[in-house]
Amino acid sequence: MKPIAQEFIRNFCIVAHIDHGKSTLADRLMDETGAVSERDKQEQLLDTMDLERERGITIKAQTVRMTYEAKDGNTYLLNLIDTPGHVDFSYEVSRSLSACEGAVLVVDAAQGIEAQTLANTYLAIDADLEIIPVVNKIDLPSADPDRVAQEIEDVVGLDAADVIPVSAKSGHGMVELLEAIVEKVPPPTGSPDAPTRALVFDAWFDTYVGAVMLVRVMEGRLKKRERVRFMIKGTEREATNLSVLMPGSVDVDELGAGEVGAVVAGVKTLSDVMIGDTITSLSNPAKEPLPGFQLVKPMVFSGLYPVDAEDYEDLKASLEKLKINDSSFSYEPETSMALGFGFRCGFLGFLHAEIIQERLEREYLLNLITTAPTVRYRVVPKTGDPFEIESPAALPDSNEIQEIQEPVVLATIHVPSDYLGQVLGLCQERRGIQKDMAVHGTRVQVRYLLPLNEIVTDFHDKLKSATRGYGSFDYELDGYYPAQLVKLDILVNGDSVDALSLIVHRDYSQSKGADLARKLKEFIPRQQFAVAIQAAVGAKIIARTTVKALRKNVTAKCYGGDISRKRKLLEKQKAGKKRMKMVGSVEIPQEAFLAALKLGD
């Protein structure tokens, strides 16, 4: 495959809110350019994971190379990067943007601009990309492309006259879109003769060849079989294979400046590859690495433990492989009195945590227990420097703490005006502070300061229920604010279960404790003795419930006669149960840990 002149290369991505038709639009563009044969065609071709297909969402950014013969008679090489739309995967979006010169902004013709549309558009503007606005789904009965085009002008500031109406389902408007990409997206800059610098913007693990790195060559050229250096890691390797994704992998001998392709360099472990690293060739080395991306900090933490302790090593190996593929995820070993050996994992959000757990269970066939998610708190002790904690178990004694600060996010919520009341009520209930509100036609944009702890489990679900699916929200960290927080411990039979501890606001500790104790009562099986479930803050018990003992009717054979005979048997039974309680231990099933997640249900 011959290298193509730089002026005929266009690198672009598609950004949009979840469910606005990015993946379907990518399918139609591939159809229009003949990238996929009739035999290989399928819906959402770039969504390769089973999970993506089941949930109808894009989780991993995917890349495809297409050739297009434009009306000016030239053949152009188009590198398309399909990005996720969900708030938890915005890190994938920011990485993809760094490999592009242009972005196609897709907005649903019926729903209009949503929270994630704005968030991803601002990411594209910050990356200095040329933005091509597109209104999709114009064939829907409820579509109003003119209103949405005007909304794009009012909210984003792009001219309504430049908005291209398309239908990704029928293929209407694809030629106009491809022509706009060729015309408006600038060709890549960077001399092919300069020292080689290629940006690693994604990687995944292949069982046969190890880590496969997706790179965008910014300057110079990468050749097959040459020695390369990872500039940040400082390791040297041989580029054993270069390929481009069309969307199947096609081997090439060289990747020129401006091209996007996959590099295999015998990297077997995660420690040798880093997303955002720069690859340079030893024959024409660069002095400075490319500016990478801002490293993301996980926002949500949860413990992952194997149900069977023998699976610990398998879990460790699986987490390593998954981390190559998803660098926004972090993990470190931890132990729990109740659950044994496991890992404390950091995620970008609750959906991200759910997806990781499901991928571990499906792709690596593991059986896992997940603890209740927590966020990273900052503790200011009475003596010494402030420090951050990721689990309730790490919280010191209340006598040593001056204050606890919690992460607060600035949430942008888009909602039809009919449902505004419910949304304001939901935010107030979650300790939110309203910042501002703006009306765009029939939709309202509200901005709230919300504690991350309050939105991490079920806020998204509650918002969707309150707005019948029409509400959307996006958030960014605003900072750490002091709050009246306490550690809520759960005691089963007098023993603290560390995996069920939570950090909650003092005002809600009583109700949360009572809810959790009541919920656990449903899941803890009855024993031969009564089991007390208590919620405590410090030494103070704030809620209690009891799982009644299984009782054998010892007085069944006594009929008539003296009452003292029955009393004697009952006393004997009571003493036996007391002894049993001292030696008996209560096994807590996994459902009990999951119950802690779904307190509001």
Side-chain angles (χ1 to χ4, degrees):
M1 192 177 280
K2 291 203 307 272
I4 195 158
Q6 249 183 321
E7 66 206 85
F8 300 122
I9 298 176
R10 300 289 182 270
N11 293 318
F12 71 100
C13 58
I14 303 179
V15 293
H17 185 76
I18 188 169
D19 224 13
H20 279 199
K22 292 182 301 299
S23 299
T24 312
L25 186 65
D27 290 348
R28 288 301 80 77
L29 289 172
M30 286 189 280
D31 288 352
E32 193 62 46
T33 55
V36 184
S37 64
E38 283 295 324
R39 188 182 66 180
D40 294 332
K41 270 186 197 173
Q42 56 171 319
E43 289 298 307
Q44 275 90 40
L45 186 76
L46 295 184
D47 288 347
T48 48
M49 267 189 239
D50 291 345
L51 261 179
E52 293 181 309
R53 297 188 160 278
E54 279 170 33
R55 290 179 178 239
I57 60 174
T58 302
I59 294 167
K60 287 295 298 171
Q62 296 287 349
T63 306
V64 66
R65 176 174 173 142
M66 306 175 285
T67 48
Y68 172 63
E69 205 159 305
K71 289 180 180 171
D72 61 10
N74 292 314
T75 300
Y76 289 86
L77 181 70
L78 308 179
N79 284 314
L80 155 68
I81 296 167
D82 180 31
T83 59
H86 196 281
V87 57
D88 282 7
F89 304 113
S90 56
Y91 181 55
E92 288 277 335
V93 180
S94 65
R95 293 195 339 214
S96 307
L97 297 180
S98 57
C100 301
E101 278 81 31
V104 174
L105 170 66
V106 181
V107 184
D108 188 310
Q111 293 181 347
I113 285 186
E114 303 266 16
Q116 209 48 40
T117 319
L118 270 183
N120 290 343
T121 308
Y122 291 143
L123 282 174
I125 291 169
D126 290 346
D128 206 18
L129 302 192
E130 182 63 43
I131 295 171
I132 299 169
V134 165
V135 171
N136 187 21
K137 305 190 186 181
I138 56 169
D139 50 346
L140 286 180
S142 56
D144 189 351
D146 296 338
R147 173 185 66 77
V148 174
Q150 191 55 49
E151 204 175 299
I152 291 174
E153 183 170 317
D154 294 346
V155 180
V156 183
L158 299 168
D159 193 343
D162 295 340
V163 177
I164 304 167
V166 303
S167 165
K169 197 173 178 185
S170 66
H172 172 85
M174 289 301 117
V175 174
E176 289 83 347
L177 177 54
L178 285 164
E179 286 296 326
I181 290 166
V182 164
E183 260 174 62
K184 292 183 180 173
V185 176
T189 55
S191 161
D193 304 317
T196 305
R197 294 201 297 176
L199 178 72
V200 180
F201 68 93
D202 201 1
W204 60 89
F205 194 81
D206 184 293
T207 321
Y208 302 103
V209 296
V212 181
M213 289 152 289
L214 204 53
V215 302
R216 154 74 199 270
V217 183
M218 296 297 185
E219 296 171 330
R221 44 178 59 118
L222 273 178
K223 292 178 183 160
K224 195 171 177 176
R225 297 272 167 222
E226 74 173 342
R227 297 285 294 173
V228 295
R229 181 191 293 127
F230 295 89
M231 295 185 80
I232 295 174
K233 281 284 179 189
T235 51
E236 291 181 11
R237 290 277 185 276
E238 182 186 330
T240 51
N241 193 40
L242 301 178
S243 59
V244 291
L245 305 168
M246 307 190 60
S249 181
V250 177
D251 289 356
V252 292
D253 291 328
E254 169 179 315
L255 287 172
E259 291 192 79
V260 173
V263 178
V264 174
V267 177
K268 292 287 186 285
T269 62
L270 167 66
S271 53
D272 292 339
V273 60
M274 178 175 154
I275 306 281
D277 207 340
T278 301
I279 297 179
T280 188
S281 73
L282 292 184
S283 58
N284 190 7
K287 290 186 176 68
E288 292 283 310
L290 292 159
F293 342 90
Q294 204 177 344
L295 280 176
V296 287
K297 263 187 149 181
M299 307 283 270
V300 176
F301 295 85
S302 169
L304 281 181
Y305 293 85
V307 170
D308 185 346
E310 289 175 3
D311 292 342
Y312 177 78
E313 287 301 325
D314 290 349
L315 175 60
K316 187 178 176 183
S318 308
L319 288 172
E320 263 182 34
K321 287 177 189 168
L322 206 55
K323 174 122 173 84
I324 287 187
N325 193 224
D326 183 353
S327 58
S328 56
F329 156 68
S330 67
Y331 66 94
E332 56 187 42
E334 79 165 358
T335 48
S336 155
M337 298 287 283
L339 301 171
F341 292 101
F343 292 91
R344 186 99 201 136
C345 302
F347 312 97
L348 297 182
F350 193 54
L351 178 76
H352 189 205
E354 240 180 89
I355 296 289
I356 292 278
Q357 190 193 346
E358 218 163 313
R359 283 185 70 184
L360 285 168
E361 288 182 346
R362 284 185 185 204
E363 294 172 29
Y364 303 102
L365 307 175
L366 293 165
N367 199 1
L368 302 172
I369 291 177
T370 316
T371 63
T374 61
V375 298
R376 183 181 262 144
Y377 295 97
R378 189 172 289 160
V379 178
V380 181
K382 287 179 179 170
T383 55
D385 297 328
F387 57 92
E388 293 186 346
I389 60 162
E390 290 154 14
S391 81
L395 192 68
D397 200 85
S398 55
N399 308 330
E400 300 166 21
I401 300 172
Q402 188 176 319
E403 68 174 18
I404 305 174
Q405 298 170 356
E406 63 180 347
V408 172
V409 296
L410 180 61
T412 306
I413 301 169
H414 283 249
V415 58
S417 46
D418 301 359
Y419 304 111
L420 183 62
Q422 290 95 307
V423 171
L424 297 181
L426 177 66
C427 292
Q428 292 302 124
E429 188 188 296
R430 299 298 171 103
R431 302 193 281 126
I433 301 166
Q434 191 177 324
K435 290 282 283 182
D436 55 42
M437 190 188 295
V439 181
H440 304 292
T442 58
R443 293 180 73 79
V444 183
Q445 175 186 312
V446 196
R447 296 200 311 156
Y448 258 92
L449 282 175
L450 285 161
L452 182 62
N453 191 23
E454 296 287 347
I455 64 169
V456 83
T457 42
D458 57 355
F459 182 81
H460 195 250
D461 298 345
K462 289 275 195 293
L463 179 71
K464 288 289 180 196
S465 306
T467 59
R468 298 199 181 167
Y470 290 113
S472 66
F473 95 114
D474 174 55
Y475 61 83
E476 59 187 60
L477 189 64
D478 190 64
Y480 280 81
Y481 292 72
Q484 293 284 313
L485 298 170
V486 291
K487 181 182 171 192
L488 178 68
D489 285 311
I490 296 295
L491 311 174
V492 175
N493 232 5
D495 297 328
S496 174
V497 183
D498 55 354
L500 288 173
S501 298
L502 297 170
I503 293 178
V504 295
H505 195 273
R506 190 179 291 280
D507 295 353
Y508 298 108
S509 58
Q510 183 96 35
S511 57
K512 273 261 173 75
D515 283 351
L516 194 47
R518 194 176 61 247
K519 199 91 179 205
L520 286 175
K521 185 180 175 181
E522 296 170 25
F523 293 103
I524 291 180
R526 288 173 72 183
Q527 312 287 327
Q528 293 286 341
F529 50 89
V531 177
I533 301 167
Q534 295 163 309
V537 171
K540 185 183 174 190
I541 304 292
I542 55 171
R544 173 189 167 125
T545 180
T546 308
V547 179
K548 288 209 167 71
L550 289 166
R551 267 192 65 188
K552 183 182 175 189
N553 189 356
V554 289
T555 59
K557 59 181 180 286
C558 301
Y559 43 92
D562 189 358
I563 186 72
S564 60
R565 170 86 177 115
K566 286 186 181 177
R567 201 167 283 149
K568 194 174 169 187
L569 284 167
L570 287 170
E571 286 300 326
K572 193 176 171 188
Q573 184 187 34
K574 202 170 172 183
K577 288 197 178 298
K578 201 168 183 182
R579 262 202 317 279
M580 202 183 285
K581 184 171 183 171
M582 285 163 73
V583 295
S585 66
V586 183
E587 201 161 281
I588 302 171
Q590 182 171 0
E591 290 79 38
F593 294 103
L594 298 178
L597 307 190
K598 300 190 167 67
L599 269 186
D601 295 359

